[in-house]
Amino acid sequence: MIWLTGDKHGDYSSVELFCESHDVGKDAGGDLMVVLGDNGVNYFGGKRDRKLKAELAALPLTFFMVRGNHDQRPSRKVCREEDYVSSYLSGPVLVEDEFPNILYAKDGGLYDFSGTSVMVIGGAYSIDKFIRLERQAQGFPQYRWFPDEQLSKPERDSILETARVHRPDVILSHTCPQSMIPWDRCAPNIYGGPPDYTMERWMDEVDAAALEPEWFCGHWHLDCRVPPRTRFLYHDFIDF
């Protein structure tokens, strides 16, 4: 089966409990867990990340990681790219030989999820960017910020063209089109600094180019459906 969930920020205790309560791993074809960004697997670097990856490697499923703004881009020096093929997923991924059950989705990658065409869009703007930079300067290394958290203009242009040509049925992303943001349910920006909605505005163009696909996204720390086509995920687990 294919499951979707939201931001985990390096804490997979809820995933472990979910595996136990839903007999994950008992399906003969395997189980896939999609994490819609801020997965926390590539955040600190070094031994701390490797410890978390080893814990995930012990779980009875395969992870499909969408990149969030609080995720470092997978290292091309560490990961190899392959065309992954299984009974529930096919498409280009990045993977480390040591942790083969952790698959990193490519930004703009096209995938087949059990017969459904899917495109992945990672990245977003960190509304707490300035406080993170301030805390770093004060000597708190756990407050990391990645300068390439958002997609570059060339990346956005390429993905927009992919959406226009291939028109995927579903888009899995970290953030969402600006027109889909449920402002009435979102917490105000308490971190200071002007928010940057460049990616969200661009995603409205992607939505139109792809002829209004269904969207699943994280980032906003919400569990809700916004009719007619958008599902925000945070703590919830849903069957794709």
Side-chain angles (χ1 to χ4, degrees), residues 56-75:
L56 299 189
L59 294 177
L61 47 70
T62 297
F63 288 93
F64 185 79
M65 303 295 196
V66 177
R67 183 181 63 85
N69 50 296
H70 294 320
D71 297 317
Q72 191 169 199
R73 297 192 184 216
S75 171

Side-chain angles (χ1 to χ4, degrees), residues 105-233:
K106 293 187 65 179
D107 291 329
L110 292 171
Y111 300 87
D112 184 317
F113 275 53
S114 298
T116 299
S117 62
V118 173
M119 186 166 74
V120 170
I121 302 176
Y125 173 76
S126 296
I127 62 171
D128 57 351
K129 167 184 175 179
F130 296 104
I131 195 169
R132 284 175 174 271
L133 292 173
E134 180 182 347
R135 293 288 173 82
Q136 282 183 23
Q138 293 170 346
F140 296 97
Q142 66 269 35
Y143 289 92
R144 302 205 67 191
W145 176 74
F146 304 109
D148 58 356
E149 63 179 7
Q150 299 195 79
L151 295 171
S152 66
K153 180 63 163 57
E155 287 175 320
R156 298 198 304 271
D157 289 345
S158 176
I159 292 171
L160 180 59
E161 183 61 21
T162 298
R164 183 176 292 116
V165 171
H166 293 278
R167 295 175 178 171
D169 300 317
V170 172
I171 292 181
L172 304 177
S173 60
H174 185 50
T175 187
C176 69
Q178 189 172 34
S179 63
M180 298 179 186
I181 299 172
W183 295 110
D184 59 322
R185 309 182 206 189
C186 295
N189 180 9
I190 62 174
Y191 298 103
D196 181 351
Y197 296 117
T198 298
M199 279 193 57
E200 288 80 4
R201 289 193 296 270
W202 162 78
M203 282 181 165
D204 276 315
E205 297 182 57
V206 174
D207 185 56
L211 301 182
E212 301 183 342
E214 190 170 5
W215 287 77
F216 295 90
C217 53
H219 186 55
W220 296 90
H221 290 192
L222 296 169
D223 285 301
C224 66
R225 177 173 288 281
V226 177
R229 298 179 288 110
T230 313
R231 182 67 157 87
F232 290 86
L233 288 165

